[in-house]
Amino acid sequence: VAMGNSQAGAASSLTFKDVKARTTPEEQDRLLAMFNSCSHQNADGSSEEKYITKEQFEATYWQEFKRKDLDVNRVFELMDTSKDGRLSVSEFYTGMFVFTAGSDEEKLRLLFNFYDLRGDGNISQQEMVVMMYKSAVHTQNLTMKPHDPAYKIHPRLKAQMKTRIERQVKKIFQDCGQVNRMTFKDFKDNLSHSEDLKTWFRHIKGDLTDHEKARWAECCPPSPATMNPEQWPAAKSS
């Protein structure tokens, strides 16, 4: 099963065959073992029919990457190229390869497709805001709920998060010389022109410098544990 043909909305244009040619037997065994450890097997027991549900993938994703900053539902959608609501061994294998060992170009395409919600080969400011906001809310919940299972994000903090993200996205588009939409070529060609976009990409790759970590911290919403409710701006009515 191929992961797409340079199409928008897929994790990668790589095929299962491509990935196998670029991985060692040890890496192949590790990915296959990961798949087998959490996959569901059909009644006939054939390995070809094994698959991973969204719930199973979510557990594997957190265990493998130990990251809380990407919307796992969107990651699953990108890897599920057959759009049947589950991951085959080839979809899982290829998608995980891009995350763990893909080239910069492949990871940049993954980041672009993460934002391209319409799958039309363009990113709008609205799409980027939506995904950054969802990821920020998801991160906040995963950070706080282990300490307080009943935790809910205060509406004022949500408003603050969204306002900060909207401001950041507007600046990214301005730095890239775009008004509202950008293609993958725009995204790639202007990566060096936007410090915020460059920092976000290196964050996805997991290799931020100390300076970039400081910049990233400036972009992230503060934890409620570090703020009093009186400090939060009033939520704007929609």
Side-chain angles (χ1 to χ4, degrees), residues 52-106:
I52 293 178
T53 64
K54 184 179 290 187
E55 291 74 20
Q56 291 165 329
F57 173 73
E58 182 173 1
T60 302
Y61 180 81
W62 299 134
Q63 181 178 4
E64 176 68 14
F65 296 106
K66 297 180 173 62
R67 303 182 59 160
K68 303 175 181 178
D69 47 22
L70 286 179
D71 187 306
V72 69
N73 291 322
R74 179 60 178 157
V75 174
F76 184 90
E77 288 173 3
L78 293 175
M79 291 173 65
D80 178 22
T81 55
S82 62
K83 305 305 176 190
D84 60 358
R86 59 191 192 181
L87 299 180
S88 66
V89 62
S90 57
E91 288 172 328
F92 177 83
Y93 194 108
T94 307
M96 293 296 277
F97 170 80
V98 174
F99 271 102
T100 58
S103 66
D104 281 0
E105 174 92 8
E106 289 159 352

Side-chain angles (χ1 to χ4, degrees), residues 209-233:
T209 64
D210 290 340
H211 172 68
E212 287 170 329
K213 286 178 182 177
R215 282 186 56 80
W216 179 254
E218 292 173 1
C219 298
C220 293
S223 165
T226 65
M227 296 180 66
N228 295 320
E230 291 76 14
Q231 295 177 282
W232 300 340

Side-chain angles (χ1 to χ4, degrees), residues 15-29:
T15 66
F16 190 33
K17 184 177 179 180
D18 293 333
V19 173
K20 291 192 74 173
R22 289 173 54 183
T23 50
T24 65
E26 291 76 18
E27 289 170 330
Q28 294 172 20
D29 289 344

